Amino acid sequence: MTTGIPGNDTSAPSLDELGTQADRTREELGRTMDDLTDGTAIPDHDRRKVTAMKNEAQEAAVHAAEAVRDTVTHAVHTVRDHTPKDVLDRAGQVTAQARGTAAHVGHLAADRTPPQLRVQAGRAMTAARANRAPLLVAAAAAVLTAVMLRGLLGGRR
């Protein structure tokens, strides 16, 4: 669950965890399709078409997840291989300092936040945890886009 950067022990998901989440999402998609088709009277030929579409959607999800996983892995290795050690060490130090500051600010905010607002924030966190897969996909897409833009813009200098 680390990114391989010294001093960086964030709770970012590993590639295995991303794969597990993709598998869970694929299974949920299959269950959703089954739920949609179970309660209706569908002729056999239409049911076969729906099953074929479900399988195609699952395969597309698998290929997309593998492509994202491969691209992110390549990007991480490329960045790690081309970043000087002193920069990685400094990034670890800055990360540790930022975590400490964030924890301090979090404690201050918790002490000064009205109870009703804390309850609402708790609900928002619960919703975010329940929808973790879409949030992770969005985060992975953002990181991938940033890495690609950096590569494109860096090559023009």
Side-chain angles (χ1 to χ4, degrees):
M1 295 254 286
T2 61
T3 59
I5 298 173
N8 189 358
D9 58 353
T10 61
S11 60
S14 68
L15 294 178
D16 292 335
E17 290 170 331
L18 287 174
T20 302
Q21 290 173 355
D23 291 340
R24 277 195 306 250
T25 302
R26 189 172 26 314
E27 289 170 9
E28 289 175 14
L29 175 63
R31 283 194 303 269
T32 301
M33 293 292 285
D34 291 340
D35 290 345
L36 290 172
T37 59
D38 285 346
T40 59
I42 299 175
D44 284 341
H45 69 281
D46 288 341
R47 189 174 301 275
R48 283 192 295 270
K49 286 181 184 178
V50 168
T51 301
M53 288 173 54
K54 176 180 83 169
N55 292 338
E56 288 176 23
Q58 287 177 334
E59 288 177 25
V62 167
H63 292 301
E66 288 173 355
V68 168
R69 188 179 317 130
D70 292 344
T71 303
V72 168
T73 301
H74 178 70
V76 167
H77 289 294
T78 301
V79 169
R80 190 180 301 146
D81 293 344
H82 290 89
T83 304
K85 183 171 177 13
D86 59 327
V87 172
L88 292 175
D89 291 342
R90 181 65 184 142
Q93 293 169 358
V94 169
T95 301
Q97 182 179 5
R99 274 196 201 104
T101 303
H104 178 68
V105 169
H107 291 297
L108 289 175
D111 291 344
R112 297 180 182 168
T113 302
Q116 184 180 10
L117 187 57
R118 274 188 263 159
V119 169
Q120 289 175 346
R123 287 184 192 142
M125 288 302 297
T126 301
R129 285 186 192 110
N131 298 308
R132 189 172 287 173
L135 292 174
L136 289 173
V137 169
V143 168
L144 179 61
T145 302
V147 168
M148 289 174 58
L149 285 175
R150 183 172 186 257
L152 289 173
L153 296 176
R156 292 184 181 172
R157 291 182 184 176

